[in-house]
């Protein structure tokens, strides 16, 4: 196993460990969040951290994948990947609505991990979509610049949606 594979495995294990530890220490996390300044909404803080960690861990995994295989971003799949990911996103959204009406309607605190997994899935899917659009339609960039630029764009778009869209509605 190459050192890049080890880094990828380490990032994935760290994300899983954070997800698992969140459920073991949920009471401590809530107590800590209540100590935040009054101007900071705890649910916004959790969402913000989740967006940053998910997008940047996905970007790190793709960066190390590019280090293992320098032809990673020159494959032909990148030409059609925006369309493929768009269809997968729409189908996933429909599936999420169906699950929300059925399975997720009666979720308990012990089953909160299911929502976390769906959230991680959608954030990763959104990042991959932005990365594929930047790769397909963007200017010629090195792969490192491409990964960092697309991660920054994804975080910025998601944070704008998070902070400004609810205020408009």
């Amino acid at each position: 196993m190459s050192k890049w594979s080890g880094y990828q495995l380490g990032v994935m294990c760290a994300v899983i460990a954070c997800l698992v530890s969140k459920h073991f220490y949920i009471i401590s996390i809530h107590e800590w969040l209540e100590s935040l300044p009054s101007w900071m909404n705890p649910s916004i803080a959790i969402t913000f951290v989740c967006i940053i960690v998910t997008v940047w861990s996905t970007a790190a995994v793709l960066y190390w994948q590019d280090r293992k295989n320098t032809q990673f971003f020159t494959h032909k799949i990148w030409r059609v990947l925006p369309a493929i990911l768009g269809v997968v996103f729409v189908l996933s959204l429909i599936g999420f609505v169906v699950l929300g009406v059925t399975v997720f309607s009666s979720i308990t605190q012990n089953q909160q991990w299911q929502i976390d997994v769906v959230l991680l899935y959608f954030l990763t899917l959104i990042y991959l979509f932005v990365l594929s659009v930047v790769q397909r339609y963007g200017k010629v960039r090195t792969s490192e610049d491409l990964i960092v630029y697309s991660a920054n764009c994804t975080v910025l778009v998601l944070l704008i949606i998070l902070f400004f869209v609810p205020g408009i509605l």
Side-chain angles (χ1 to χ4, degrees), residues 34-48:
E34 289 175 1
S35 69
L36 288 175
S38 61
W39 56 268
M40 187 181 291
N41 187 348
S43 63
I44 296 292
I46 290 172
T47 306
F48 177 76

Side-chain angles (χ1 to χ4, degrees), residues 68-82:
K68 289 190 310 189
N69 180 5
T70 56
Q71 303 299 318
F72 182 66
F73 287 110
T74 58
H75 195 275
K76 290 185 275 185
I77 192 74
W78 289 101
R79 283 186 254 157
V80 295
L81 203 55

Side-chain angles (χ1 to χ4, degrees), residues 19-83:
L19 186 64
V20 169
S21 65
K22 176 190 169 245
H23 293 290
F24 286 125
Y25 299 108
I26 194 73
I27 294 172
S28 301
I29 291 171
H30 283 293
E31 289 172 359
W32 179 78
L33 287 174
E34 289 175 1
S35 69
L36 288 175
S38 61
W39 56 268
M40 187 181 291
N41 187 348
S43 63
I44 296 292
I46 290 172
T47 306
F48 177 76
V49 169
C50 184
I51 287 171
I52 297 292
V53 168
T54 303
V55 169
W56 279 98
S57 62
T58 305
V61 168
L62 289 174
Y63 173 76
W64 290 318
Q65 181 63 36
D66 181 61
R67 286 293 191 201
K68 289 190 310 189
N69 180 5
T70 56
Q71 303 299 318
F72 182 66
F73 287 110
T74 58
H75 195 275
K76 290 185 275 185
I77 192 74
W78 289 101
R79 283 186 254 157
V80 295
L81 203 55

